[in-house]
Amino acid sequence: MAVTRYFSFGEESTFATAVPATETIDPESAELDPTGDQALIYEGVSRLDRIVAPGPYRSEGSVTTPVDLKVFPWFFKFAMGGYEVTGNSPSYTHRFFPHTSALMPSFTSRVGKDVFEHVFPGCVVSSIEMELDDAFLLGTVEMQAGGDEKASIAIPNWTGGEIYAPHQVNAMINGVDESAYIESFSLKLETGADNEAGMTIGSRFPRRAFRGAFMVELELGLSFFSTTQLERFWGSATGPTSGSLVEFPITINVGENMDIIVPRAVFTTMTQPLSGRDRIEQSATVRGLVASDSTGPIEFSVTNDVEKYGEPAA
């Protein structure tokens, strides 16, 4: 039986110039299609729609897939831009961090849709959300693209690596393992990518994508059997402080070879709602900040046998 559904991609050297796929995964979902109205319609005083021409053309969508050790780190690079690699075969350590470039790096996405391969050059990452509850650690990558093309269905060459169940993940808050408090989490990284601003005269399609405001937010589902986390939110043992908020580093260890590092963080919200006879479930929101040494608000460290994820940042 032939496989006709897949998601594959390759890093572009020139924005929106399609390249062959270098990675192919079997995602939970891949929703990538043209967006908006492609028709430019002149509305005259006749009150009748008579004149039409091709208008600006963009695509957008998302892919949701288990976070794996080999392929998913590409999205860290596409989202943040900053990249360094150290080590020698067979073990390399990759560091992904925010870059200050005005433009987003791009890639070509290819989606197998049963009867054809839908090709999207000029993809950029607008956000990454990583979510862990009671199943595999999942990642959802929201992306923007320009035009789209049709190609023939390819034979998938799967390139994914190890994926992670909840028991393989732990979290260090202020250097202490507090995994026993954390029932679930959702980490969202927003890049503020904007390819609509890359529209110029002479083309229906974006010529580039600009980087926007960068934001990191962590939603925590916390067990509630003490006031430890509430006191950290307050900044004191008895109630909200009038002084400085408590700041702390967070490191989430995914398996033995992937670390999510938020070097400086602060609680922004916390609740413990009562709901009938059910137990109290505590939830909190954490915001990542830039640390005093200019690292952050987030970094990813990945160790695997991949030699490099394209070229390091300039």
Side-chain angles (χ1 to χ4, degrees):
M1 178 179 176
V3 176
T4 58
R5 297 184 179 187
Y6 53 85
F7 178 84
S8 60
F9 63 91
E11 184 179 32
E12 295 176 352
S13 57
T14 302
F15 183 85
T17 299
V19 297
T22 57
E23 308 287 357
T24 302
I25 59 175
D26 185 5
E28 183 177 277
S29 65
E31 303 175 9
L32 196 55
D33 292 288
T35 185
D37 194 337
Q38 71 155 342
L40 194 63
I41 299 173
Y42 175 71
E43 299 177 356
V45 295
S46 68
R47 298 181 292 183
L48 301 173
D49 294 337
R50 298 185 307 104
I51 302 173
V52 64
Y57 196 103
R58 297 169 58 245
S59 304
E60 64 182 16
S62 65
V63 59
T64 297
T65 185
V67 174
D68 78 286
L69 186 63
K70 288 189 176 183
V71 174
F72 203 85
W74 273 108
F75 297 116
F76 300 152
K77 183 186 180 188
F78 294 148
M80 298 193 293
Y83 170 60
E84 297 174 349
V85 57
T86 57
N88 297 289
S89 180
S91 180
Y92 302 89
T93 297
H94 311 271
R95 175 177 171 248
F96 305 91
F97 54 93
H99 198 279
T100 56
S101 169
L103 301 178
M104 296 289 298
S106 65
F107 55 101
T108 299
S109 293
R110 298 172 180 269
V111 186
K113 294 186 175 181
D114 285 353
V115 297
F116 81 111
E117 182 180 89
H118 209 164
V119 184
F120 297 88
C123 288
V124 296
V125 172
S126 54
S127 72
I128 295 176
E129 185 167 359
M130 300 171 67
E131 185 172 4
L132 183 69
D133 196 343
D134 56 0
F136 289 113
L137 176 64
L138 290 179
T140 296
V141 181
E142 297 281 347
M143 61 190 77
Q144 302 172 6
D148 55 336
E149 305 169 5
K150 175 183 174 182
S152 299
I153 289 288
I155 299 174
N157 179 23
W158 309 113
T159 54
E162 180 183 0
I163 60 177
Y164 303 96
H167 71 276
Q168 296 173 285
V169 180
N170 61 62
M172 307 288 289
I173 299 179
N174 208 25
V176 177
D177 188 345
E178 299 199 7
S179 305
Y181 282 96
I182 301 172
E183 299 177 3
S184 62
F185 72 80
S186 176
L187 174 69
K188 188 165 188 179
L189 181 163
E190 294 184 356
T191 69
D194 183 4
N195 69 354
E196 190 172 2
M199 303 290 295
T200 70
I201 61 173
S203 175
R204 291 187 69 192
F205 314 105
R207 297 183 189 269
R208 61 193 61 87
F210 289 93
R211 186 180 299 280
F214 193 88
M215 189 273 288
V216 174
E217 198 165 72
L218 182 64
E219 300 284 344
L220 298 175
L222 300 166
S223 293
F224 186 65
F225 54 88
S226 78
T227 60
T228 299
Q229 302 302 333
L230 181 58
E231 291 171 22
R232 181 174 281 149
F233 169 75
W234 279 339
S236 78
T238 57
T241 180
S242 297
S244 300
L245 297 176
V246 175
E247 299 178 1
F248 47 88
I250 298 177
T251 299
I252 299 174
N253 307 119
V254 181
E256 297 181 352
N257 294 304
M258 182 184 299
D259 295 328
I260 304 168
I261 304 161
V262 180
R264 180 180 171 221
V266 63
F267 280 119
T268 57
T269 69
M270 184 167 290
T271 61
Q272 307 88 23
L274 293 175
S275 178
R277 298 184 179 186
D278 296 336
R279 70 183 178 92
I280 297 175
E281 297 183 27
Q282 185 170 229
S283 62
T285 304
V286 177
R287 188 74 171 262
L289 306 170
V290 175
S292 59
D293 61 358
S294 297
T295 59
I298 195 169
E299 294 189 1
F300 296 87
S301 177
V302 177
T303 300
N304 57 25
D305 61 1
V306 176
E307 184 177 355
K308 63 179 180 177
Y309 290 89
E311 295 303 320

